[in-house]
């Protein structure tokens, strides 16, 4: 049995489906979790799905994933654009990393065009709403045993 795929979400994503549905859609984070669980199950894999508004908590979970996960999907939210600490943790994790965004940051404000997380990621899925997470789980499964 392979280790789970960790699916981590960063700050404010707990508000998904509750605020700003015109940008991030109507699906809640629980809907995203259910979709990821279904996709993982069809691939014969399991996930650990968590969200935090706190940078240090995300870093603790990335460190946990180093030994506890086969691969990592992360929507770092705004921390992707700002956090060298998250980048360092992801590089140290030494497992495949798939970056994931609901929206397409490249089509938005210029300050969203760069993410530090991309420097540690094998690839990026963005712009497909809830499906970005499903596709990212599939990519993570393909990248790991
Ligand atoms: O598109 C994405 O998934 C983002 O990671 C979302 C971040 C944003 O800073 C990134 O540039 C792109 C923001 C997450 C905030 O989520 C909210 C959800 C509902 C209501 C308000 C915020």
């Amino acid at each position: 049995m392979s280790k789970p795929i960790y699916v981590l979400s960063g700050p404010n994503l707990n508000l998904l489906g509750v605020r700003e549905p015109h940008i991030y859609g109507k699906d809640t984070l629980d809907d995203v979790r259910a979709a990821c669980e279904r996709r993982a199950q069809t691939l014969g894999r399991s996930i650990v799905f968590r969200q935090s508004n706190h940078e240090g908590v995300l870093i603790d979970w990335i460190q946990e994933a180093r030994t506890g996960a086969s691969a990592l999907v992360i929507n770092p939210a705004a921390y992707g654009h700002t956090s060298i600490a998250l980048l360092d943790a992801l590089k140290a994790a030494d497992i495949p990393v798939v970056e994931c965004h609901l929206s397409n940051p490249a089509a938005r404000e210029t300050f969203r065009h760069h993410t530090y997380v991309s420097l540690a990621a094998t690839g990026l899925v963005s712009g497909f709403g809830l499906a970005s997470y499903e596709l990212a789980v599939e990519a993570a499964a393909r990248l790991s045993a």
Side-chain angles (χ1 to χ4, degrees), residues 11-13 15-16 19-20 24 75 77-78 81 101-103 112:
N12 297 308
L13 286 164
L15 298 176
L16 213 56
R19 307 290 298 272
E20 303 197 49
Y24 298 115
N75 181 349
H81 310 304
H101 295 278
L102 296 153
S103 66
R112 297 186 200 277

Side-chain angles (χ1 to χ4, degrees), residues 32-139:
V32 175
R33 177 200 302 270
C36 288
E37 277 169 357
R38 278 195 301 271
R39 180 60 62 102
Q41 201 175 14
T42 63
L43 297 164
R45 304 293 292 269
S46 63
I47 61 165
V48 168
F49 190 98
R50 297 178 187 160
Q51 185 274 334
S52 177
N53 293 326
H54 305 280
E55 190 176 17
V57 172
L58 291 164
I59 289 167
D60 287 344
W61 290 342
I62 292 166
Q63 290 187 6
E64 182 184 305
R66 194 172 69 82
T67 51
S70 57
L72 179 68
V73 170
I74 185 164
N75 181 349
Y79 286 147
H81 310 304
T82 62
S83 178
I84 296 169
L86 269 188
L87 168 62
D88 287 344
L90 289 167
K91 278 186 164 170
D94 207 25
I95 53 173
V97 174
V98 181
E99 182 177 354
C100 159
H101 295 278
L102 296 153
S103 66
N104 177 3
R108 299 180 63 192
E109 303 97 323
T110 49
F111 63 82
R112 297 186 200 277
H113 294 182
H114 173 265
T115 89
Y116 289 103
V117 164
S118 291
L119 295 169
T122 302
L124 165 72
V125 186
S126 67
F128 303 109
L130 174 148
S132 290
Y133 275 80
E134 293 179 289
L135 293 166
V137 166
E138 177 142 5

